[in-house]
Structures are given as C-alpha cells and as structure tokens.
Amino acid sequence: MRSMSLPEAISYAKAHQPATRLALARIQSRVADTNIPRAQWYPTIGASAQLFAATANNTTGSYVSPRVFDIPRIGGTRSTGSASWRPFASSLVGIGANQELFDFGRIAAQTAAVDALVDVERERARAVALDVSYNVEEAYFSVAAAKAVLQASQDAYERAVVHRDLAKAGVNAGLRPPIELTRAEADLSRLDIGRVRARGGLLSAQSVFAAAVGVLDAALDVAGAPSSPPDLPDLGVAIRSAEAKNPRLLEAVEQLRAAELATRAISAETRPNLAVTATLSGRAGGAPPSGSGTLPAADGLLPSVANWDVGVLLSWPLFDATS
C-alpha cells in the first residue's frame, strides 16, 4: 500500500483533487469571459450576398442597416404616390467593417464587472483548497488513530494469549479451577473480535484518506509522525484573523462588489456610442429607375453597380426600459 506524509498528501490533493481542479477550471472560465467585453474594441468584418424579390415603392432617402456591416440604401426608383404590388429582382454582394471609436466608458464598465467575477472565483477556489486541506488532515489523523487503536488491540490480544496459556497450564496442573480457563478463553475471543474490528476501521480510514487526497488507489496509508499542532491563539485574535482571511467571507464581499459593478455596467448601456463604418458593395435592381436612367444588365440579377462608403456613426439609446 502506498503511503504519504501529511505535507505530501496536502500538496498532492491541491494539484489532483477533483474539487480543486474544478475550482481552477472555473477561474480559467471566468478569465476567458473577461475577453468578451474587451473584444468590442476589435473591428467587426463581415460579408453578404443577397438575392430577393420585393416591391419598389420608394421615395428618395437613405438609411443604414444595423447588422454585420452597414450599407446605405440609395433610393433610385421613381417616387410614386400609390403602392404597386409588382415584384422586381434585386441583388447585392458586399464586404464591410465597423470599428469602435469611443464608448463613453461602457466597455470599461462591462470589463470591470467580469473582472470582479474572476476575483469571486479566486476566493471560492481558496475556500475549496481550505476544505480539501482540512479533509486531508482529518483523514490523515483518522488513519493514525486507527493504527494506534489496532496496535492497542493487538497488544491486548497478545496479553490475553499469555493469560490464557497461564490459566491452561494451571488447570492442567490442578492448581486452578477450570472456570478460570473458560474466562480466559472468553476474554481472548472478545479481544480477538476487537482486533478484527480495529483492522476493519483502519482499512476504512485508509480508503477515506485515499479519497480525500484524490489518488486512484483503493486505500492510502500515512507516513511519518504527525507534527504537533501550534498553540491556539487568543479568541479575539482568531476572530480578527478570520475576518481578514476567511475565504468564504472574502467571497461574499467580492460577490457584493461584483453585483455593484454589474449594476454600473447595465447603466452604462444607455451611454452613447461612436463608431466608424466602411463598406464596399455591388448591387443592382430591376425596378424602373427615376428619370432617364437605364436598367442594369440581367434586370437586377447581377450586382454590377459598385458603391463604397465611409462614415462615422453616433448612436445614443435615449430610453430603454430593460436597462
């Protein structure tokens, strides 16, 4: 059976115990989440190809589409005072990009909120590591105590064997009554049962120790003598130390701070946003043009009319009931 000292067991458990590995994985997940709001500073690039049929009841005006990339619509059909339900072919291909210019503190507020969640997970991981260390120490001393109980049971059994042999010799010599041999054999059987129970308790403690450490072995033994614990501090000193270092208390404080920063990040969603947009596109439409214009080749099925644009967009959500 493999054995470990207490420092070795604690070090191994902090590196291999599933609970500690899960806590570290949660920290890595939170750290990866912090890249999401920071990525808003990167440009957004997209491409699109479109082919559809639609009516062409148009007035001269331009607007910008909000997703993927921005394409100002060019009003090219004749203005009409009544609607027509006749469809015309229209096609478009294009590529464009958006780049954040100034966010008025919105991205910084979102980043601070997710960074605070990383601190929460770190304190939670410290609490898990503390629990793991406590469980390992408890299991270690349980094995040591079980071994001491087994040794005491073995010593008592051996003394009972000597007493039984002495009683048997006295009975055989006619110096003692047979009842003393009966009593000695009964004591020997009782101590033998206690020895078996102590051996089973040791095996159970070794199995618990293996599970607490996180090894794949069915049981794990202790090595070395346990060190004597330090003296207990004064009650007031212990309370102040717990208030300053207890990971569960610090986790609650970090959770409160993360909630406050999340509230600020939600409030920052109502701030204005300044971005630059650029698009290179080709389009064509089969609707009759205004004035003396001509229809493009393939009646709008081939996007042969090129356009480009560069613009600066300022958007400001003045009212949003969900923010």
Side-chain angles (χ1 to χ4, degrees), residues 115-222:
D115 286 342
L117 294 177
V118 176
D119 295 334
V120 172
E121 288 298 337
R122 286 199 176 101
E123 296 301 334
R124 186 173 298 168
R126 287 185 57 221
V128 171
L130 188 64
D131 290 339
V132 168
S133 299
Y134 174 79
N135 293 335
V136 170
E137 291 182 8
E138 184 181 33
Y140 179 90
F141 287 107
S142 295
V143 173
K147 294 179 74 173
V149 171
L150 178 60
Q151 185 61 45
S153 300
Q154 182 65 32
D155 294 342
Y157 178 81
E158 291 176 357
R159 289 193 298 269
V161 170
V162 174
H163 184 266
R164 190 273 314 269
D165 294 341
L166 181 62
K168 184 177 181 180
V171 171
N172 292 337
L175 300 176
R176 293 186 178 183
I179 189 61
E180 290 197 15
L181 177 60
T182 303
R183 290 173 179 172
E185 289 178 344
D187 291 339
L188 182 64
S189 299
R190 178 174 55 82
L191 292 175
D192 189 25
I193 293 174
R195 186 179 61 165
V196 173
R197 288 177 176 173
R199 189 177 296 112
L202 176 60
L203 293 176
S204 177
Q206 289 170 337
S207 299
V208 173
F209 184 47
V213 174
V215 298
L216 299 178
D217 307 50
L220 182 65
D221 198 9
V222 298

Side-chain angles (χ1 to χ4, degrees), residues 195-316:
R195 186 179 61 165
V196 173
R197 288 177 176 173
R199 189 177 296 112
L202 176 60
L203 293 176
S204 177
Q206 289 170 337
S207 299
V208 173
F209 184 47
V213 174
V215 298
L216 299 178
D217 307 50
L220 182 65
D221 198 9
V222 298
S227 59
S228 51
D231 295 334
L232 292 175
D234 181 71
L235 179 59
V237 175
I239 292 176
R240 288 191 296 270
S241 178
E243 291 176 349
K245 299 180 180 180
N246 189 294
R248 290 184 176 84
L249 180 60
L250 295 178
E251 178 189 349
V253 174
E254 291 296 337
Q255 285 180 340
L256 179 61
R257 188 173 71 90
E260 293 175 350
L261 292 174
T263 302
R264 296 178 184 177
I266 294 173
S267 300
E269 293 289 340
T270 59
R271 297 177 184 176
N273 188 69
L274 186 64
V276 62
T277 178
T279 306
L280 176 64
S281 63
R283 72 191 75 190
S290 61
S292 59
T294 60
L295 290 176
D299 291 332
L301 296 177
L302 181 64
S304 58
V305 181
N307 286 281
W308 66 268
D309 63 85
V310 176
V312 177
L313 302 179
L314 176 64
S315 58
W316 194 343

